[in-house]
Amino acid sequence: AQTVTQSQPEMSVQEAETVTLSCTYDTSESDYYLFWYKQPPSRQMILVIRQEAYKQQNATENRFSVNFQKAAKSFSLKISDSQLGDAAMYFCAYRSPRGSGGSNYKLTFGKGTLLTVNP
Amino acid sequence: DTAVSQTPKYLVTQMGNDKSIKCEQNLGHDTMYWYKQDSKKFLKIMFSYNNKELIINETVPNRFSPKSPDKAHLNLHINSLELGDSAVYFCASSQGLAGEPLFFGPGTRLTVL
């Protein structure tokens, strides 16, 4: 079974600075998908960014980018020019492209990193 | 315009009661999910339906029964509620194709007294 580990329960960053959130995962598959979700205090889960394992190029969405290291099974999220609205819980998630019992249909989440943005 | 909606958003009830949470998505997705988020914010899959067929049932007590009347709806019924059932329950949907992200509803905070 795949596991996702976020080793930083909490992080903080000054407004306008850059912060990197770590995520590692364990899988025996060569093809899969990785995601970062954001959960602000409103508790709504919001998709931040998505990465396909077969693509070497790191995904980017505006101020959010990832550093995907497939060999190391690492998928970190970099937030540039941090804003107060970035304060939230961030979850890393893994999705298998195939598998028995419907396992390819679900996301497996890490335990989350709580990001605080200081003004 | 809400993509995935859940009702109610808050539910407070006594132990032993039976309650339901409803979920609807208007994204045209063919797969729907229930996730449970515990007090430590950990998200765990409970059930998934693809085209109204149950495809994931993750070691959930049989007091929990999902029902999907059609592709756009997935309801969760809970019998004989226990204190440990207190959590936030998220409904989500996706296209069943590999790699597609899940879109989540706003969550239902269930408190069992």
Side-chain angles (χ1 to χ4, degrees), chain A residues 4-42:
Chain A
V4 178
T5 301
Q6 293 178 249
S7 59
Q8 307 151 316
E10 295 184 26
M11 292 280 286
S12 64
V13 63
Q14 288 297 125
E15 199 174 0
E17 294 191 349
T18 295
V19 65
T20 298
L21 308 184
S22 301
C23 173
T24 59
Y25 55 93
D26 184 26
T27 183
S28 57
E29 296 172 319
S30 59
D31 192 19
Y32 46 86
Y33 302 86
L34 297 164
F35 304 85
W36 278 97
Y37 279 83
K38 166 185 175 181
Q39 186 179 36
S42 67

Side-chain angles (χ1 to χ4, degrees), chain A residues 33 35 37 39 42-45 47 50 89 91 95-97 101-111, chain B residues 9-10 33 35 37 41-43 45 50 55-56 58 90 96-102 104-107 109:
Chain A
Y33 302 86
F35 304 85
Y37 279 83
Q39 186 179 36
S42 67
R43 84 168 180 244
Q44 178 72 54
M45 293 286 289
L47 176 67
R50 167 179 175 252
M89 189 74 128
F91 292 95
R95 181 170 184 175
S96 172
S103 61
N104 53 313
Y105 285 95
K106 68 179 182 183
L107 285 183
T108 298
F109 286 89
K111 292 191 174 182
Chain B
K9 289 193 177 174
Y10 298 93
Y33 310 78
Y35 273 81
Q37 186 174 43
K41 301 290 189 182
F42 184 56
L43 279 152
I45 183 81
N50 175 251
I55 54 169
I56 297 175
E58 292 270 313
F90 284 98
L97 300 172
E100 294 303 310
L102 272 60
F104 286 81
R109 179 177 292 281

Side-chain angles (χ1 to χ4, degrees), chain A residues 30-105:
Chain A
S30 59
D31 192 19
Y32 46 86
Y33 302 86
L34 297 164
F35 304 85
W36 278 97
Y37 279 83
K38 166 185 175 181
Q39 186 179 36
S42 67
R43 84 168 180 244
Q44 178 72 54
M45 293 286 289
I46 302 164
L47 176 67
V48 175
I49 203 164
R50 167 179 175 252
Q51 174 79 42
E52 295 150 343
Y54 62 85
K55 288 188 176 178
Q56 291 187 333
Q57 187 173 6
N58 289 324
T60 300
E61 287 286 344
N62 302 314
R63 297 182 295 106
F64 298 87
S65 61
V66 299
N67 183 1
F68 174 49
Q69 302 287 329
K70 190 172 183 179
K73 297 179 183 174
S74 170
F75 181 60
S76 59
L77 175 69
K78 185 171 88 170
I79 306 173
S80 304
D81 185 25
S82 296
Q83 299 175 1
L84 295 178
D86 295 333
M89 189 74 128
Y90 286 82
F91 292 95
C92 179
Y94 173 104
R95 181 170 184 175
S96 172
R98 65 185 64 82
S100 61
S103 61
N104 53 313
Y105 285 95

